[in-house]
Amino acid sequence: MAALGAAVPLLLGLGLGLGLGHAAPPVVLWHGMGGNENNPSHGKGTSCASSSGCQDVENSFFMNANDQVREVCRQLAADPHLKGGYNAIGFSQGGQFLRAVAQRCPSPPMLNLISVGGQHQGVFGFPRCPGESSHICDWIRKTLDLGAYTPAVQEHLVQAEYWHDPLREEDYRKSSIFLADINQERGINETYKKNLMALKRFVMVKFLNDTMVDPPISEWFGFYKSGQAKETIPLRETPLYTEDRLGLQEMDKAGKLLFLGVEGEHLQFSEQWFCATILPFLQ
């Protein structure tokens, strides 16, 4: 199993720690905001080790997401174990970051992408923060309120790079340096579309009692209706889907999109659930 925190060495294995056996493809993990390789999620059922956990935590807040994706793509391409393909699991913001890897870096091939609480249409709020990161999140909230779409904030604050303000859609489309790009908001990149459609499956897990992600439906690629921040719409009603700008409609019709729900708070899941629900996608 390989654990990603960007700008840290990959720790490679073949998924044996997950009980997948020798024939299963390698598994790549990307943790969420405030996590590190020792704690890639706030659930149970996986384990990783890191000698650079503190920098890993800082990177999840302050290292430009595009730079993180570029570095991870470099590491994946350089590793011979992954040449035949790998499965990917992204926890929280790691879900959209690994989707960017799938869209931008087709070699080595990502086989299945499992997004556990990822925010694929972004967020419009930080109601709560993970672990001991609350003081950082207080600062993030103030910074986002002051100017989420200013160049300085976009370049240096990861959460601003997937901040999606439904009241300022034009500013979001024009100035978001990460999410607006991978969601085809400024035009159609056919390579992104082709690469994402090459996945065997794109599995999205939504936490049904999530109070950390705003709105929670972003975990299933839905979002607020444009122009307000109360009513949400599912993926299948968004322009991204109806215009099939990213190939999601075609993937859906082919049975490649799976929407899973799990009871609980953000990233709170049991080992039993993980083994019964997620492991079968990794075989």
CSV table of all heavy atoms in Angstrom, one decimal, residues 24-26 84-88 108-113 198-202 281-283:
chain,number,residue,atom,x,y,z
A,24,ALA,N,-3.5,-8.9,-6.1
A,24,ALA,CA,-4.2,-7.6,-6.1
A,24,ALA,C,-3.3,-6.5,-6.6
A,24,ALA,O,-2.1,-6.5,-6.2
A,24,ALA,CB,-4.8,-7.3,-4.8
A,25,PRO,N,-3.8,-5.5,-7.3
A,25,PRO,CA,-3.0,-4.3,-7.7
A,25,PRO,C,-2.6,-3.5,-6.5
A,25,PRO,O,-3.2,-3.6,-5.4
A,25,PRO,CB,-3.9,-3.5,-8.6
A,25,PRO,CG,-5.0,-4.4,-9.0
A,25,PRO,CD,-5.2,-5.4,-7.9
A,26,PRO,N,-1.5,-2.8,-6.6
A,26,PRO,CA,-1.1,-1.9,-5.5
A,26,PRO,C,-2.2,-0.9,-5.1
A,26,PRO,O,-3.0,-0.6,-6.0
A,26,PRO,CB,0.1,-1.1,-6.0
A,26,PRO,CG,0.6,-2.0,-7.1
A,26,PRO,CD,-0.6,-2.7,-7.7
A,84,GLY,N,1.8,-1.6,-13.9
A,84,GLY,CA,0.6,-2.3,-14.4
A,84,GLY,C,-0.7,-1.7,-14.0
A,84,GLY,O,-1.7,-2.2,-14.3
A,85,GLY,N,-0.6,-0.6,-13.2
A,85,GLY,CA,-1.9,0.0,-12.7
A,85,GLY,C,-2.0,-0.1,-11.2
A,85,GLY,O,-1.4,-1.0,-10.6
A,86,TYR,N,-2.9,0.7,-10.7
A,86,TYR,CA,-3.0,0.7,-9.2
A,86,TYR,C,-4.5,1.2,-8.9
A,86,TYR,O,-5.1,1.8,-9.7
A,86,TYR,CB,-2.1,1.7,-8.5
A,86,TYR,CG,-2.2,3.1,-9.0
A,86,TYR,CD1,-3.0,4.0,-8.2
A,86,TYR,CD2,-1.6,3.6,-10.1
A,86,TYR,CE1,-3.1,5.3,-8.6
A,86,TYR,CE2,-1.7,4.9,-10.5
A,86,TYR,CZ,-2.5,5.8,-9.8
A,86,TYR,OH,-2.7,7.1,-10.2
A,87,ASN,N,-4.9,0.8,-7.7
A,87,ASN,CA,-6.2,1.4,-7.2
A,87,ASN,C,-5.9,2.5,-6.3
A,87,ASN,O,-4.9,2.5,-5.6
A,87,ASN,CB,-7.0,0.3,-6.5
A,87,ASN,CG,-7.5,-0.8,-7.4
A,87,ASN,OD1,-8.0,-0.5,-8.5
A,87,ASN,ND2,-7.4,-2.1,-7.0
A,88,ALA,N,-6.8,3.5,-6.2
A,88,ALA,CA,-6.6,4.7,-5.4
A,88,ALA,C,-7.7,4.9,-4.4
A,88,ALA,O,-8.9,4.8,-4.8
A,88,ALA,CB,-6.4,5.9,-6.3
A,108,PRO,N,1.3,5.9,-14.6
A,108,PRO,CA,0.7,4.6,-14.7
A,108,PRO,C,-0.8,4.7,-14.5
A,108,PRO,O,-1.3,5.7,-14.0
A,108,PRO,CB,1.3,3.8,-13.5
A,108,PRO,CG,1.6,4.8,-12.5
A,108,PRO,CD,2.1,6.0,-13.2
A,109,PRO,N,-1.6,3.7,-15.1
A,109,PRO,CA,-3.0,3.8,-15.1
A,109,PRO,C,-3.7,3.6,-13.7
A,109,PRO,O,-3.3,2.7,-13.0
A,109,PRO,CB,-3.5,2.7,-16.0
A,109,PRO,CG,-2.4,1.7,-16.0
A,109,PRO,CD,-1.1,2.5,-15.8
A,110,MET,N,-4.6,4.5,-13.3
A,110,MET,CA,-5.4,4.3,-12.2
A,110,MET,C,-6.6,3.4,-12.6
A,110,MET,O,-7.2,3.7,-13.6
A,110,MET,CB,-5.9,5.7,-11.6
A,110,MET,CG,-6.7,5.6,-10.3
A,110,MET,SD,-7.4,7.2,-9.8
A,110,MET,CE,-5.9,8.1,-9.4
A,111,LEU,N,-6.8,2.3,-11.8
A,111,LEU,CA,-7.8,1.4,-12.2
A,111,LEU,C,-9.2,1.7,-11.6
A,111,LEU,O,-10.2,1.9,-12.3
A,111,LEU,CB,-7.4,0.0,-11.8
A,111,LEU,CG,-6.0,-0.5,-12.3
A,111,LEU,CD1,-5.6,-1.8,-11.6
A,111,LEU,CD2,-6.0,-0.5,-13.8
A,112,ASN,N,-9.2,1.9,-10.3
A,112,ASN,CA,-10.4,2.3,-9.6
A,112,ASN,C,-10.1,3.4,-8.7
A,112,ASN,O,-9.1,3.4,-8.0
A,112,ASN,CB,-11.0,1.1,-8.8
A,112,ASN,CG,-11.4,-0.1,-9.6
A,112,ASN,OD1,-12.4,0.0,-10.3
A,112,ASN,ND2,-10.7,-1.2,-9.6
A,113,LEU,N,-11.0,4.4,-8.7
A,113,LEU,CA,-10.9,5.5,-7.7
A,113,LEU,C,-12.0,5.5,-6.7
A,113,LEU,O,-13.2,5.5,-7.1
A,113,LEU,CB,-10.9,6.9,-8.5
A,113,LEU,CG,-11.0,8.1,-7.6
A,113,LEU,CD1,-9.8,8.2,-6.7
A,113,LEU,CD2,-11.1,9.4,-8.5
A,198,ALA,N,-11.5,6.5,-18.4
A,198,ALA,CA,-10.7,5.2,-18.5
A,198,ALA,C,-10.8,4.4,-17.2
A,198,ALA,O,-10.4,3.2,-17.2
A,198,ALA,CB,-9.2,5.5,-18.9
A,199,LEU,N,-11.3,5.1,-16.1
A,199,LEU,CA,-11.4,4.3,-14.9
A,199,LEU,C,-12.4,3.2,-15.1
A,199,LEU,O,-13.4,3.3,-15.8
A,199,LEU,CB,-11.9,5.2,-13.8
A,199,LEU,CG,-11.0,6.3,-13.2
A,199,LEU,CD1,-11.8,7.3,-12.3
A,199,LEU,CD2,-9.9,5.7,-12.5
A,200,LYS,N,-12.1,2.1,-14.4
A,200,LYS,CA,-13.1,1.0,-14.3
A,200,LYS,C,-14.3,1.4,-13.5
A,200,LYS,O,-15.4,1.1,-13.8
A,200,LYS,CB,-12.4,-0.3,-13.7
A,200,LYS,CG,-11.4,-0.9,-14.6
A,200,LYS,CD,-10.8,-2.2,-14.0
A,200,LYS,CE,-9.7,-2.8,-14.9
A,200,LYS,NZ,-9.1,-4.0,-14.3
A,201,ARG,N,-14.0,2.0,-12.3
A,201,ARG,CA,-15.1,2.5,-11.4
A,201,ARG,C,-14.6,3.7,-10.7
A,201,ARG,O,-13.4,3.9,-10.4
A,201,ARG,CB,-15.4,1.4,-10.4
A,201,ARG,CG,-16.1,0.2,-10.9
A,201,ARG,CD,-16.5,-0.7,-9.7
A,201,ARG,NE,-16.7,-2.1,-10.0
A,201,ARG,CZ,-15.7,-3.0,-10.0
A,201,ARG,NH1,-14.5,-2.6,-9.6
A,201,ARG,NH2,-15.9,-4.3,-10.3
A,202,PHE,N,-15.6,4.6,-10.5
A,202,PHE,CA,-15.4,5.8,-9.7
A,202,PHE,C,-16.4,5.7,-8.6
A,202,PHE,O,-17.6,5.9,-8.8
A,202,PHE,CB,-15.6,7.1,-10.6
A,202,PHE,CG,-15.4,8.4,-9.8
A,202,PHE,CD1,-14.9,8.4,-8.5
A,202,PHE,CD2,-15.8,9.6,-10.4
A,202,PHE,CE1,-14.8,9.7,-7.9
A,202,PHE,CE2,-15.7,10.8,-9.8
A,202,PHE,CZ,-15.2,10.8,-8.5
A,281,PHE,N,-13.7,-3.6,-4.1
A,281,PHE,CA,-13.3,-2.8,-5.2
A,281,PHE,C,-11.8,-2.9,-5.5
A,281,PHE,O,-11.3,-2.4,-6.6
A,281,PHE,CB,-13.7,-1.4,-5.0
A,281,PHE,CG,-15.2,-1.2,-4.9
A,281,PHE,CD1,-15.7,-0.7,-3.7
A,281,PHE,CD2,-16.0,-1.4,-6.0
A,281,PHE,CE1,-17.1,-0.5,-3.6
A,281,PHE,CE2,-17.4,-1.2,-5.9
A,281,PHE,CZ,-17.9,-0.8,-4.7
A,282,LEU,N,-11.0,-3.4,-4.6
A,282,LEU,CA,-9.5,-3.4,-4.7
A,282,LEU,C,-9.0,-4.7,-5.2
A,282,LEU,O,-7.7,-4.8,-5.3
A,282,LEU,CB,-8.9,-3.0,-3.3
A,282,LEU,CG,-9.4,-1.7,-2.7
A,282,LEU,CD1,-8.8,-1.5,-1.3
A,282,LEU,CD2,-9.2,-0.5,-3.6
A,283,GLN,N,-9.8,-5.7,-5.4
A,283,GLN,CA,-9.3,-7.0,-5.8
A,283,GLN,C,-8.7,-7.0,-7.2
A,283,GLN,O,-9.2,-6.3,-8.0
A,283,GLN,CB,-10.4,-8.0,-5.7
A,283,GLN,CG,-11.1,-8.1,-4.3
A,283,GLN,CD,-10.1,-8.7,-3.2
A,283,GLN,OE1,-9.1,-9.4,-3.6
A,283,GLN,NE2,-10.4,-8.3,-2.0
